[in-house]
Amino acid sequence: MIPSRSFFNTSEVAISTFFLVGIPGMEHAHIWVSIPICFVYLLAILGNCTILFFIKTETSLHEPMYYFLSMLAFSDLGLSISSLPTMLRIFLFNATGISPDACFAQEFFIHGFSAMEASVLLIMSIDRLIAIYSPLRYTSILTSARVIKVGLVFAALCIMLVLPFPFILKRLKFCRKSLLSHSYCLHQDVMKLACSDNKVNVIYGLFVALTSLLYLVCISVSYMLILKIVLGIASHKGRLKVLNTCISHICAVFIFYVPIVTLAALHRFAKNASPVIRVIIADTFLLVPPLMNPIVYSVKSQQIRNRIQAKLCEKQG
């Protein structure tokens, strides 16, 4: 069980454990909440592993769009595995304690895979723009080697972007508060508990947040350019056909960014909002994208859908 909040606020001793939260006021029902959470994690991990398996084994899927999809699946898999230990410990066993080092490691991986997912969504928007703007040159512009290089460069940039987080948290002193406000560790959540100067954390955290916002702006610009090209197509059927190639990606962008923007808006404009709402939205951010992205792409991508159906028929036969 979580000790009372007054304990965290009065202790002057340097703390050795942070305490995460499940759903405030529903601690008695955590075991029941754990059932759908475990189910979501299982489906998310299974779905993303399935996407990675088919893209690796099927030569017909060795195309730029599917390489980018495999990067998205890898990011989602990492995001799920990063949050899995604390989420299951809280909801299955009511074990809310976590050591500072484990917390800093978890927030590094969660922020890292989140940044990677944002980067992949940006790359995929550029991929759709190139495919629509210059379809004849698409395969010559986005060769397999170039796609792999782009993926590795963005992965390295994401690691470098979030690498300072654990180190700038490590230098802080935590001596009064130790109760976090989510079911997993985030940089902005942990730094608020510090009893020493956290100005560096605030500035760097703002820089990372602005980088994420820049990614969203670039994705929006890509779609404005795509829309301009689509509106120039004469036939209504042609316009719908082109837009249909973007539906999966648009869904993935909304699934990823809506919880982030909602949570940021709550922290900024609705500081008195119920903690339960904040926890649910924060958990949605980690649970829903890894679950929904494989479903969206499997439904909308005929090639992946055909491969899955063929495998299922093969097993039944």
Side-chain angles (χ1 to χ4, degrees):
M1 294 296 291
I2 301 174
S4 66
R5 193 176 283 267
S6 61
F7 170 83
F8 301 117
N9 295 339
T10 57
S11 175
E12 293 296 327
V13 182
I15 62 165
S16 58
T17 306
F18 292 129
F19 291 90
L20 300 160
V21 296
I23 300 176
M26 289 185 64
E27 286 81 6
H28 61 284
H30 276 178
I31 191 68
W32 298 108
V33 176
S34 70
I35 296 169
I37 286 176
C38 289
F39 187 63
V40 167
Y41 271 118
L42 182 66
L43 284 180
I45 291 169
L46 191 65
N48 286 293
C49 285
T50 301
I51 293 284
L52 288 169
F53 171 76
F54 279 114
I55 291 172
K56 186 179 186 299
T57 56
E58 296 290 339
T59 52
S60 62
L61 299 178
H62 292 177
E63 297 175 10
M65 185 178 80
Y66 295 106
Y67 286 138
F68 293 135
L69 179 55
S70 68
M71 294 176 199
L72 187 68
F74 178 77
S75 304
D76 282 333
L77 203 54
L79 209 51
S80 292
I81 293 168
S82 300
S83 61
L84 183 64
T86 55
M87 293 279 274
L88 292 189
R89 283 180 73 242
I90 290 167
F91 289 104
L92 275 175
F93 309 109
N94 265 346
T96 59
I98 184 171
S99 70
D101 286 342
C103 188
F104 300 158
Q106 186 186 47
E107 63 86 27
F108 167 74
F109 285 110
I110 287 175
H111 285 296
F113 283 114
S114 298
M116 209 174 288
E117 180 143 352
S119 298
V120 174
L121 290 172
L122 171 60
I123 298 167
M124 290 174 94
S125 71
I126 296 167
D127 165 73
R128 291 297 83 210
L129 178 60
I130 294 169
I132 292 165
Y133 178 74
S134 187
L136 297 177
R137 295 180 59 222
Y138 175 71
T139 50
S140 62
I141 294 170
L142 289 174
T143 59
S144 296
R146 199 167 285 167
V147 167
I148 291 165
K149 282 177 187 174
V150 167
L152 289 173
V153 166
F154 269 90
L157 286 173
C158 290
I159 291 167
M160 286 191 288
L161 185 68
V162 301
L163 190 60
F165 276 155
F167 299 102
I168 60 178
L169 283 174
K170 189 82 174 170
R171 54 178 273 283
L172 297 176
K173 290 180 181 177
F174 301 93
C175 53
R176 285 189 294 274
K177 301 175 185 177
S178 58
L179 182 60
L180 296 163
S181 55
H182 299 304
S183 307
Y184 49 88
C185 295
L186 291 176
H187 173 260
Q188 62 268 32
D189 202 16
V190 177
M191 74 175 186
K192 289 176 184 175
L193 303 181
C195 53
S196 57
D197 184 25
N198 64 359
K199 196 178 287 181
V200 172
N201 300 70
V202 172
I203 293 167
Y204 193 73
L206 182 62
F207 169 72
V208 173
L210 289 173
T211 305
S212 297
L213 186 63
L214 179 64
Y215 281 7
L216 184 56
V217 169
C218 290
I219 291 168
S220 302
V221 169
S222 295
Y223 272 101
M224 284 177 192
L225 294 172
I226 287 170
L227 194 60
K228 186 182 175 184
I229 295 164
V230 169
L231 291 174
I233 298 171
S235 72
H236 177 68
K237 192 177 178 181
R239 286 199 292 267
L240 287 178
K241 188 179 178 182
V242 170
L243 282 174
N244 194 47
T245 63
C246 303
I247 294 295
S248 300
H249 180 256
I250 292 169
C251 289
V253 170
F254 273 98
I255 288 165
F256 180 74
Y257 276 104
V258 166
I260 295 176
V261 173
T262 306
L263 197 60
L266 279 175
H267 277 289
R268 180 68 182 87
F269 303 110
K271 292 180 180 178
N272 296 325
S274 167
V276 176
I277 295 171
R278 292 185 186 185
V279 168
I280 290 171
I281 293 170
D283 290 349
T284 299
F285 160 63
L286 283 192
L287 291 170
V288 174
L291 170 70
M292 291 305 298
N293 285 337
I295 295 170
V296 168
Y297 276 94
S298 297
V299 168
K300 290 301 295 178
S301 171
Q302 192 175 349
Q303 283 178 282
I304 291 176
R305 193 168 67 247
N306 289 346
R307 296 296 174 278
I308 292 170
Q309 287 172 349
K311 279 286 179 186
L312 290 172
C313 292
E314 196 178 289
K315 284 186 178 180
Q316 285 174 358

